[in-house]
Amino acid sequence: MAGYSSTTVGRLAVLVAVILMAGGKVAYGTWLGAVPSPIYVLMCFSLITAIFLPIYGRRTGEFALKPLLLLNVSTALCFLFFFYALKLIEPAVAGAVQFGSGPILSVLITLVATRARPDPIKALVCGGLVAGCVVLAVSAVTGAGFATDGARGWLGLGAILLSAIGSVLITIASKNLSLRGWSSGAILAHRCYLIVPLALALVLAEGAADVPWTPPLALTLLGIGLVGTIIPIVFLQIGIEKSDPHTVLVMLAAMPIFTFLIEGLSPLYVWSQLTAAGLAIIAVFIAIDIAFTRQKTIVSARTTSHGSGAEDTDARVAKGGGVSMSD
């Protein structure tokens, strides 16, 4: 995209991914209720492997076993638990808890791995996003979400927290591979080695014979999988390559806001005041982060115009999210 900086392209890619994934989650909960989540996951990630492995399988950068293993484990953790949780709680609540807790989990992981303390404003934003998640968690377990009872709500929230950890680790592992010369296509080609066999095992264990398969249902499954999961994952991978992990995770936190708006188009979901309050809190702190990042970028640009070559090293460390993985 000529005329746009790499960071701008990355943010636009994440934004497209967020909007498409938000719509996909509502569509999944609305029209694919009869399809077990492992079947959906198996179809999506089998297609990703079939598309990218033949083209990018040999076009990898520097081999790095630890981030590659982490990428595969975290992909399975993130998506298997997320689509399971969508059967139990409202998509906006599920997305908010998953992506709203992402930035604070990233800060904690970075703190443990590198002892690097976060910027105070980033810490404030992370705390605000967590506060919004708490409100949405209350919404889920009190029946304001999609849970039929409190027990199912707690089970859904547990699955979402595991999925949230997976999403943060995906971002960290992908960024590490990107800094080692891996393209987005190469990362997509090699991230499904665990999730595909696990999803297949779950499909065989649960059985697919009870699904009322019809041509319209099969086409709906394929369409929602392409538009709501496969294409967004490609855009998200591009965004991770071209942006820093904090920016990606904060932008992902906006997904439940879009999901909440799109839910109004589905007859299965009813907007609740508690859910709206939690999403409003998340929106406020995302706005704070955007304003802070913009101000920091302006200051950094002025400093760079008078600075030395040290900025290149600092930018590389910042872009990697402060977490490194050696073989």
Side-chain angles (χ1 to χ4, degrees), residues 209-223:
D210 295 335
V211 179
W213 290 111
T214 61
L217 179 60
L219 288 175
T220 300
L221 176 66
L222 179 61

Side-chain angles (χ1 to χ4, degrees), residues 42 46 72 80 192-204:
L42 177 62
S46 295
N72 277 269
L80 287 173
C192 305
Y193 294 130
L194 182 60
I195 191 170
V196 169
L198 280 179
L200 178 60
L202 289 172
V203 169
L204 294 176

Side-chain angles (χ1 to χ4, degrees), residues 25 30 34 60 108 114 128 274 279 311 323:
K25 286 168 176 50
T30 302
T60 61
L108 293 175
T114 67
L274 200 56
L279 293 173
E311 285 84 355
V323 179

Side-chain angles (χ1 to χ4, degrees), residues 12-172:
L12 288 173
V14 176
L15 179 61
V16 172
V18 164
I19 295 173
L20 290 178
M21 291 176 81
K25 286 168 176 50
V26 176
Y28 173 83
T30 302
W31 290 299
L32 295 178
V35 178
S37 56
I39 293 178
Y40 181 83
V41 172
L42 177 62
M43 183 208 69
C44 290
F45 286 93
S46 295
L47 282 176
I48 288 175
T49 302
I51 293 169
F52 287 94
L53 189 59
I55 301 173
Y56 294 97
R58 296 178 180 272
R59 302 182 187 180
T60 61
E62 175 191 347
F63 180 73
L65 181 60
K66 287 184 178 179
L68 188 59
L69 286 174
L70 181 62
L71 178 66
N72 277 269
V73 172
S74 56
T75 296
L77 182 69
C78 176
F79 287 93
L80 287 173
F81 278 102
F82 184 82
F83 285 105
Y84 171 72
L86 283 184
K87 300 289 186 179
L88 303 174
I89 55 179
E90 179 185 338
V93 176
V97 174
Q98 181 191 31
F99 297 113
S101 59
I104 190 66
L105 289 172
S106 176
V107 167
L108 293 175
I109 291 172
T110 302
L111 181 63
V112 171
T114 67
R115 303 289 180 90
R117 295 186 177 183
D119 184 283
I121 298 296
K122 286 186 178 181
L124 174 65
V125 170
C126 291
L129 294 176
V130 169
C133 287
V134 170
V135 174
L136 289 164
V138 173
S139 170
V141 300
T142 57
F146 194 46
T148 55
D149 55 61
R152 287 170 58 86
W154 284 113
L155 185 61
L157 288 175
I160 279 299
L161 287 176
L162 290 174
S163 179
I165 294 172
S167 68
V168 173
L169 295 178
I170 286 172
T171 306
I172 293 173

Side-chain angles (χ1 to χ4, degrees), residues 242-324:
K242 298 182 180 298
S243 301
D244 65 279
H246 176 79
T247 298
V248 171
L249 291 170
V250 170
M251 289 187 69
L252 284 173
M255 186 184 299
I257 298 173
F258 291 102
T259 306
F260 181 70
L261 296 174
I262 296 171
E263 279 180 1
L265 303 176
S266 171
L268 292 186
Y269 305 109
V270 179
W271 287 352
S272 66
Q273 294 181 352
L274 200 56
T275 301
L279 293 173
I281 294 172
I282 289 175
V284 167
F285 283 95
I286 289 175
I288 292 174
D289 185 81
I290 292 172
F292 169 72
T293 301
R294 182 178 181 183
Q295 181 181 10
K296 191 174 182 179
T297 301
I298 294 173
V299 173
S300 177
R302 291 175 180 172
T303 303
T304 302
S305 64
H306 299 88
S308 63
E311 285 84 355
D312 292 338
T313 302
D314 293 340
R316 180 178 172 85
V317 172
K319 199 172 184 182
V323 179
S324 63

